[in-house]
């Protein structure tokens, strides 16, 4: 067990101010120096270690990180008022941009959490309009309510260890939490693949933190491991069940109620020593309290005002005592011995504790000086990773491990940000023995975003309450992904808190994959959610051990739109000298504690009308918006072959879009995809003159190999001018503008192929242009909007002998790593524009968007 000073010394990894050191944290240094066999793959791993931290959005943590889809996103979502998504406006008409919180020089990390209930998460999304963040996510602390804290973010100076991990390994920038709600439902997805008791739309969906110990009964993923003989364990300092913590003990020593196995009947958490000990304490204490109330009642007159209240209190304690006696019999050691071996195994593995450390139930005080001020900070006396450390050192680490930290190490905004020490210590333990790290995959993610803003609207399932809200491939039951308002009200929720809405996906949260096969500071931009980790475990274990494990709780919709993490890995190859990273080495625990005595964050300010107008034209003008670190990063090869071709119908009565997730290039590895289509202007769904609405949206899920077609009536657009935007993963974007009277030109955007079977992609685009108009010839302009300095290419589409004219144009993307942003226009028809942007996936590693990295021409 470490001394308290050693604890502080090793916790220095988080500090982010003062001088810079050209030294990586020791755990990361070791991880980068330990090489597995050349050519080995993640399937050669023997251990998967998983940690889910608490309540941080992706932009809040990594919006300024180099290469990820963050603050420099060049084609970010636009609000109904045409403001960039980051410029949020409150009910008072005040507009704010994201601002740095500064973890060391302000008390930001001591200001508590923001609203993140089911109601607040749904309301911020606002049916896809995404414009209610400032109104819904106000701090519940009156002193802070006026601050736009939801827009606050941290950068590398604030979170150097987090950024160092992202620099060393693979960060996932399209990773969404599973549900648009709070912690427990997201952890249910993380451990079981669902929030429903049964896989039907009428079964109750647990969308709030409302489960009691032993209440849930559906099958969990650890049970599937148990059934297949796969070793597993959940490590925590101690369980929550039973309570009994005093003062600061709970925040340092409990598992923060974040091990969902406590809620499942089949794990019998009540046999845990903490619960039984709490019953014994009650059995001793309650008779004394009952006697005192009886004596008090005896001395009172029935006419006394407090008589009834005292009588009720006495009755309640008597009932509790009877229940305690019953529970002591129910959860006795004798009853435990009668459990089946399977039940004992589930219980023991799910609630592994640090009881081998004599001080695991104790906290202590550390005295230190903050300048001239004497301070005292609480720290655990024991080792909160004792059993995990012990079993790693002994070579007893299971195939699959989950860790659940105490509140103060969880990154939850209700506690100061000590969590990176916990992550660094896990990595330190894993890398102390090279033979362990050579065989280990360490996954770090977060359960939900708290109340912190993220600029990427999540992909959700179609709204089943609307007749025209999108489409999904055959076999996808979207009712499983929607909670009707009536169902919530029937469960007893108030009208204020009940919401009829899609379950998810929720907002983006960080995820880092650390392993010998995910090194190199890469970015992965495939869509993931919490069930992706379960899908990964399925594939990994089935291939490695020739099993057929399947988490049947995961819906077809989630499997269609969320990947299985396999694209985050590559075969190991020696990479030479690793890049150096800067990291401050000052003791962080003391400095985080000191921050509570600092001033409140003040880097925000209301934007003027002129500033908003300028930012609407150029989001990166005037230095108001935060910027990302310059440069590009390696990007993982992801198996997307995506299309979204939009053209007027032959009769010009409606506009059609065909969404397609191809399978020709990547075969069985091909990924399906979500898409969202927006009508940014006035659009009406009903045949009523006054029913126009801005930002109507439609949701789609296309399985690999499938295509979906949808149509929008021309008379539903204001003034007969259509305007639609299509959003897909990793910056995939299409925009279509025009009118019924436009020339009959159709455009298809595809990818240039090589080889006899045409299954290899060059990384270039191919535009197929066709003039179907019998009235004349046209010249088209292909305009590069970003990567070739506004280059314009002109293409003549001349009809010959009355036949349609067709040409194919290859757009060379060699200088932009396969990134593109082009528009097709017709001179003389200013209302018409077809815009295509995104990245061509070739099956090979590439680089992140050079426009986003301000690295064009480098």
């Amino acid at each position: 067990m470490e001394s308290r000073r050693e604890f502080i010394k090793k916790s220095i990894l988080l500090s982010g101010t003062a001088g810079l050191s050209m030294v990586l944290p020791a755990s990361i240094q070791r991880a980068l120096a330990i090489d597995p066999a050349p050519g080995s793959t993640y399937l050669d791993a023997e251990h998967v270690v998983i940690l889910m931290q608490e309540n941080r959005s992706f932009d809040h943590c990594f919006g300024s990180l180099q290469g990820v889809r963050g603050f420099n996103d060049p084609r970010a979502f636009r609000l109904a008022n045409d403001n960039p998504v980051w410029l949020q406006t409150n009910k008072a008409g005040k507009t704010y941009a994201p601002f740095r919180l500064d973890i060391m020089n302000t008390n930001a990390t001591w200001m508590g959490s923001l609203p993140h209930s089911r109601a607040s998460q749904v309301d911020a999304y606002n049916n896809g309009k995404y414009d209610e963040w400032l109104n819904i996510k106000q701090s519940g602390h009156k002193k802070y309510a006026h601050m736009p804290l939801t827009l606050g973010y941290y950068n590398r100076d604030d979170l150097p260890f987090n950024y160092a991990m992202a620099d060393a390994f693979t960060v996932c920038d399209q990773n969404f939490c599973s549900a648009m709600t709070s912690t427990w439902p997201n952890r249910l997805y993380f451990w079981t693949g669902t929030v429903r008791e049964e896989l039907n739309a009428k079964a109750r969906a647990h969308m709030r933190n409302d489960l009691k110990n032993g209440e849930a009964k559906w099958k969990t993923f650890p049970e599937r491991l148990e059934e297949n003989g796969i070793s597993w364990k959940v490590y925590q300092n101690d369980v929550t069940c039973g309570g009994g913590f005093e003062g600061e003990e709970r925040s340092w020593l409990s598992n923060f109620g974040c091990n969902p196995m406590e809620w499942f009947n089949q794990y019998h958490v009540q046999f845990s020593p903490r619960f039984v000990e709490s019953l014994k304490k009650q059995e001793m204490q309650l008779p004394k309290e009952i006697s005192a109330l009886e004596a008090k009642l005896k001395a009172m007159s029935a006419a006394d005002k407090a008589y009834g209240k005292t009588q009720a209190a006495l009755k309640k304690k008597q009932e509790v005592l009877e229940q305690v006696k019953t529970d002591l019999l129910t959860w006795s050691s004798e009853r435990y011995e009668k459990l089946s071996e399977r039940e004992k195994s589930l219980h023991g593995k799910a609630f592994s504790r640090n009881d081998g450390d004599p001080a695991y139930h104790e906290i202590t005080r550390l005295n230190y000086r903050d300048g001239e001020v004497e301070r005292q900070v609480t720290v655990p006396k024991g080792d909160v990773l004792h059993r995990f450390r012990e079993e790693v050192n002994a070579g007893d680490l299971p195939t699959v491990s989950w860790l659940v930290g105490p509140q103060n190490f969880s990154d939850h905004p209700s506690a100061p940000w000590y969590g990176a020490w916990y992550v660094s210590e896990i990595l330190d333990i894993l890398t102390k023995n090279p033979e362990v790290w050579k065989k280990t995959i360490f996954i770090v993610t977060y359960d939900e975003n708290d109340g912190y803003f993220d600029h990427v609207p999540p992909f959700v399932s179609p709204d089943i309450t609307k007749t025209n809200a999108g489409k999904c491939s055959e076999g996808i039951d979207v009712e499983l992904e929607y909670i009707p308002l009536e169902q919530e009200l029937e469960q007893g929720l108030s009208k204020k808190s009940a919401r009829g809405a899609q379950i998810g996906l929720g907002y983006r949260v960080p995820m880092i994959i650390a392993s010998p096969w995910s090194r190199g500071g890469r970015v992965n931009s495939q869509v993931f959610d919490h069930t992706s980790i379960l899908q990964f475990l399925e594939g990994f274990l089935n291939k490695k051990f020739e099993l057929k494990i399947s988490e049947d709780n995961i819906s077809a919709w989630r499997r269609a739109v969320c990947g299985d993490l396999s694209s985050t890995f590559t075969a190991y190859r020696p990479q030479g000298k690793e890049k150096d990273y800067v990291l401050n080495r000052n003791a962080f625990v003391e400095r985080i504690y000191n921050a509570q005595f600092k001033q409140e964050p003040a880097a925000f300010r209301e934007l003027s009308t002129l500033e908003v107008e300028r930012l609407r034209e150029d989001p990166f003008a005037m230095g108001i918006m935060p910027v990302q670190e310059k440069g590009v990063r390696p990007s993982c090869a992801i198996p997307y072959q995506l299309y979204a071709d939009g053209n007027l119908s032959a009769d010009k009565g409606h506009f059609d879009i065909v969404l397609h997730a191809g399978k020709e290039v990547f075969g069985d590895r091909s990924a399906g995809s979500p898409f969202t289509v927006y009508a940014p202007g006035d659009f009406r769904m009903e045949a009523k003159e006054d029913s126009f609405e801005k930002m109507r949206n439609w949701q789609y899920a296309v399985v690999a190999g499938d295509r979906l077609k949808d149509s929008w009536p021309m008379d539903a657009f204001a003034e007969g001018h259509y305007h639609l935007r299509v959003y897909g993963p990793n910056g995939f974007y299409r925009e279509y503008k025009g009118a019924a009277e436009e020339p009959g030109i159709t455009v298809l955007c595809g990818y240039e192929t090589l080889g006899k079977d045409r299954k290899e992609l060059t990384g270039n685009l191919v535009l197929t242009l066709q003039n179907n108009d019998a009235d004349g010839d046209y010249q088209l302009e292909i305009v590069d909007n970003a990567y070739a300095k506004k280059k314009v290419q002109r293409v003549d589409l001349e009809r010959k002998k009355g036949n349609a004219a067709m040409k194919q144009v290859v757009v060379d993307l060699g200088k932009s790593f396969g990134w593109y942003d082009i528009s097709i226009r017709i001179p003389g028809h200013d209302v018409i524009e077809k815009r295509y942007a995104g990245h061509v996936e070739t099956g090979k590693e590439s680089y992140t968007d050079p426009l986003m990295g301000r690295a064009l021409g480098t």
Side-chain angles (χ1 to χ4, degrees), residues 2 40 71 87 191 225 227 246 265 315 379 387 412 514 571 603 609 648 678 719 732 762 810:
E2 298 173 301
S40 65
F71 293 132
L87 303 189
W191 294 76
L225 299 181
E227 292 166 357
E246 297 179 359
N265 179 68
K315 183 180 179 182
V379 292
R387 177 154 300 189
H412 194 287
T609 301
L648 267 178
Y678 276 90
E719 300 179 3
F732 181 94
T762 67
V810 175

Side-chain angles (χ1 to χ4, degrees), residues 496-560:
K496 182 178 180 179
S497 61
R499 291 294 182 277
Q502 296 96 327
I503 292 177
L505 301 174
Y507 304 107
R508 284 195 309 169
V509 292
M511 180 161 65
I512 293 176
I513 313 292
S515 77
W517 308 279
S518 55
R519 281 163 45 168
R522 298 182 303 153
V523 178
N524 186 289
S525 298
Q526 187 172 0
V527 172
F528 301 132
D529 84 326
H530 299 328
T531 69
S532 294
I533 296 175
L534 300 182
Q535 293 184 60
F536 165 71
L537 290 173
E538 288 174 343
F540 170 73
L541 297 171
N542 289 343
K543 291 174 183 175
K544 189 172 183 66
F545 299 110
E546 297 183 355
L547 298 171
K548 293 183 179 180
I549 298 173
S550 175
E551 182 45 81
D552 298 334
N553 293 331
I554 301 174
S555 72
W557 180 80
R558 288 181 188 270
R559 289 192 184 273

Side-chain angles (χ1 to χ4, degrees), residues 566-776:
S566 60
S567 63
T568 64
F569 301 98
T570 61
Y572 174 73
R573 58 185 183 276
Q575 297 178 342
K577 186 178 183 295
E578 296 286 350
K579 179 181 176 183
D580 288 331
Y581 305 100
V582 296
L583 193 68
N584 187 289
R585 301 289 292 179
N586 295 328
F588 100 92
V589 167
E590 295 173 2
R591 299 183 70 186
I592 289 283
Y593 186 77
N594 293 346
Q596 69 179 300
F597 307 107
K598 301 293 178 67
Q599 64 186 357
E600 296 164 5
F604 60 88
R605 65 177 179 84
E606 180 187 356
L607 301 181
S608 69
T609 301
L610 179 61
E611 287 173 324
V612 172
E613 290 176 354
R614 287 282 308 279
L615 291 170
R616 192 176 295 154
E617 296 173 5
D618 180 1
F620 311 110
M622 302 182 292
I624 292 174
M625 271 289 298
V627 295
Q628 289 177 243
E629 300 164 336
K630 292 185 68 173
V632 298
R633 287 180 179 238
S635 62
C636 297
I638 52 180
Y640 283 136
Q641 184 187 342
L642 306 182
Y643 307 85
D645 289 311
N647 292 285
L648 267 178
S649 61
D651 63 5
K652 298 190 176 182
H654 45 88
F655 190 83
D656 301 330
I657 298 179
V658 178
L659 304 170
H660 177 40
K663 202 173 180 180
E664 297 81 11
V665 175
F666 304 114
D668 292 339
R669 296 187 298 112
S670 301
S673 180
F675 296 93
T676 303
V677 177
Y678 276 90
D682 289 330
F683 184 89
R684 66 179 176 216
M685 291 298 298
E686 308 296 337
K688 300 177 182 177
E689 293 296 329
D690 59 351
S691 63
F692 283 108
E693 178 185 355
K694 288 185 182 294
M695 301 304 292
R696 276 301 302 255
N697 59 86
W698 299 261
Q699 305 292 334
Y700 301 87
V702 187
V703 300
D706 196 15
R707 66 183 71 227
L708 298 174
K709 178 180 177 180
D710 213 346
S711 299
W712 287 260
M714 289 298 295
D715 60 8
F717 296 95
E719 300 179 3
H721 288 184
Y722 65 84
H723 188 187
L724 295 168
R725 292 173 178 153
V726 184
Y727 294 89
N730 191 26
F732 181 94
Y733 179 77
R734 302 291 187 261
E735 185 171 16
Y736 301 107
K737 295 189 288 187
E741 62 272 14
E742 69 183 47
I745 305 293
T746 60
V747 180
L748 300 178
C749 181
Y751 310 112
E752 186 183 35
T753 57
L754 285 175
K756 294 181 180 179
D757 57 6
R758 294 295 184 184
K759 291 184 178 180
E760 183 178 350
L761 301 185
T762 67
N764 296 327
L765 283 184
V766 174
L767 300 174
T768 301
L769 313 172
Q770 184 163 318
N771 179 4
N772 303 309
D773 201 328
D775 295 335

Side-chain angles (χ1 to χ4, degrees), residues 161-179:
F161 180 80
N162 305 60
Y163 276 63
M165 275 200 77
D167 289 341
F169 301 111
T170 295
V171 61
C172 302
D173 70 351
Q174 296 279 272
N175 179 54
F176 297 82
C177 60
S178 288

Side-chain angles (χ1 to χ4, degrees), residues 45-50 221 225 228-233 235 349 391 395-402 439-442 536-537 540-542 544-545 547 549:
E46 296 181 9
H47 312 290
V48 180
V49 178
I50 308 167
F221 194 79
L225 299 181
N228 284 275
I230 301 297
S231 60
W232 65 276
K233 189 168 286 187
Y235 295 92
K349 293 176 182 177
E391 295 187 358
D396 294 332
L397 185 64
T399 303
V400 182
S401 305
W402 288 271
K439 300 178 287 189
T440 299
I441 295 167
F442 180 28
F536 165 71
L537 290 173
F540 170 73
L541 297 171
N542 289 343
K544 189 172 183 66
F545 299 110
L547 298 171
I549 298 173

